[in-house]
Amino acid sequence: MSNAERFPHLKANDPEVYQLIQEQCELESSTLKMIASESYATYEVMEACGSPFTNKYSEGYPDARYYEGNQVTDKLENLARERGKKLFGAEHFNVQPYSGSPANHAVYRAVVKPGDKIMGMPVTDGGHLTHGWKVSFSGMDYVQVPYGTNPETGKIDMDQVREIALRERPKLIWAGTSAYPLKLDYAAFAEIAKEVDAYLVADISHINSLVIAGVHPDPVPYCDVVTSTSHKMLRGPRAGFVMSKIEDRYQQKYFPTSKFNLAQRIDRAVFPGLQGGPHMHAIAAMATAFAYAMTDEFKEYGKQIVKNARALVSAIIEKGYAVASGGTDTHLVVLDFRKEEFTGKDVSQALAKCGIIANFNMVPGDQRKPSVTSGVRLGTPSLTSLGMKENDMLKVADWIDQVCKNVYDIDKVATRIRGEIAEFLKGFDVPGIRPKLI
Ligand code: DSN
């Protein structure tokens, strides 16, 4: 099916937007998408996102709405919640957050108060903005107690995390990262949180599908709350969700006068605390993404993401480059250019000219500024969605090597490499773009 058949009304009545969709399809099907937080949404997700559920106001929750006419959206939201609970084994599930940052914001509103200490990884160490970074609401309204990676090993040292927690006694501990390629030890985080009476919150936005596939530890049994986005490797819509225990183990200590348990406080924080009407079209798409994530095919994809990342690491190391944290357990490969003359920004810009889309990133022990960095963060979810395997990663490593070798004279090789990549990609279906019908 061509775009003309797929978007006939846009083509006829808004050719400008139609043309931009054409260009985006061309871009996404002729370049290697290696932004670690991206993948390709499925056709089902795209269709649900474009459905009439976008028309409906549904403020409130199923059977407790502030608008009439929600008999169908109630069924839809219940379906999404039940599928989510089954997929992750969660006690309570909220599918209304507009994205990952609002999901994390709701957790703060539910379990801490402005001025409280919260423990998280700074962005410069691979943490997320909403884990207490200074320019985000989370660092302005709460006091971040930072923990990070060892600059020598690039690994999180759990003894150090414990030492900091015992000294600072934060009320909330974030176990989650955006640029850390190794597994997180949720059992160790849970012991530490228990020692200091802190809520333990995992943010699995980056690794949710690895948890589903069983190739990354599962945080749900260990954490009070788990948050996530549904786009990234999960291949759903741009949206977020929050899972939690129902009862609050610290109710007596921190919320003795509240008549609401943990699950209820989270729901109230999302709506009416922070948001208005839920995006029901995104919730429809999330429901169908959860159904797909329960299949064996999806679990294979989760496993292959890690195999591909490991194959990429081996090939890159063989070519003489360093990677942060010494390797990967996940979808992430962070190239470490601390010893090179060129910077992360130099390489990410040169890669983009050649059709490899990634981002520059700080690495552990980085002496360069965050606006330049010594690293490039690469991810394998999108390439794995295309059906690529370990052998294909050897080709990708080759192109990366050629870019690094020509970084100061990239125009000399850019057209050729870009052409080779576009040609190579013709051998793959591009989910949501270059149809496979049904
Ligand atoms: N922007 C996402 C990432 O790239 O990791 C996190 O929200």
Side-chain angles (χ1 to χ4, degrees), residues 35-38 101 128 177-179 205-206 229 231-232 359 377:
I35 302 273
S37 47
E38 292 180 4
S101 295
H128 189 253
T177 61
S178 290
S205 299
H206 260 268
T229 46
H231 44 286
K232 303 195 176 74
N359 65 281
R377 187 185 72 158

Side-chain angles (χ1 to χ4, degrees), residues 74-142:
D74 276 6
K75 285 194 240 174
L76 176 69
E77 187 166 346
N78 280 330
L79 180 69
R81 295 201 292 201
E82 289 311 312
R83 285 184 180 176
K85 279 200 240 178
K86 190 168 166 206
L87 180 63
F88 290 99
E91 284 181 24
H92 180 70
F93 212 97
N94 188 310
V95 290
Q96 292 199 4
Y98 297 149
S99 196
S101 295
N104 288 352
H105 198 172
V107 176
Y108 283 93
R109 304 293 294 190
V111 302
V112 285
K113 303 225 158 45
D116 278 345
K117 284 185 184 174
I118 60 99
M119 202 162 155
M121 265 172 104
V123 166
T124 43
D125 279 80
H128 189 253
L129 283 169
T130 56
H131 300 174
W133 190 237
K134 52 199 168 196
V135 296
S136 133
F137 76 90
S138 62
M140 295 176 192
D141 297 350
Y142 307 92

Side-chain angles (χ1 to χ4, degrees), residues 362-426:
M362 297 292 274
V363 292
D366 208 328
Q367 298 297 319
R368 292 184 172 117
K369 288 192 226 142
S371 56
V372 178
T373 80
S374 298
V376 169
R377 187 185 72 158
L378 302 164
T380 54
S382 302
L383 305 191
T384 310
S385 292
L386 296 175
M388 289 192 195
K389 298 278 193 309
E390 289 94 319
N391 265 349
D392 300 306
M393 296 304 111
L394 306 184
K395 277 192 166 55
V396 174
D398 253 346
W399 282 314
I400 291 171
D401 180 35
Q402 290 181 45
V403 171
C404 290
K405 288 197 170 112
N406 292 284
V407 72
Y408 295 124
D409 200 6
I410 199 67
D411 290 337
K412 200 176 76 189
V413 295
T415 309
R416 174 183 56 79
I417 298 178
R418 214 187 158 98
E420 285 172 8
I421 288 174
E423 195 53 37
F424 174 63
L425 283 169
K426 285 186 184 153

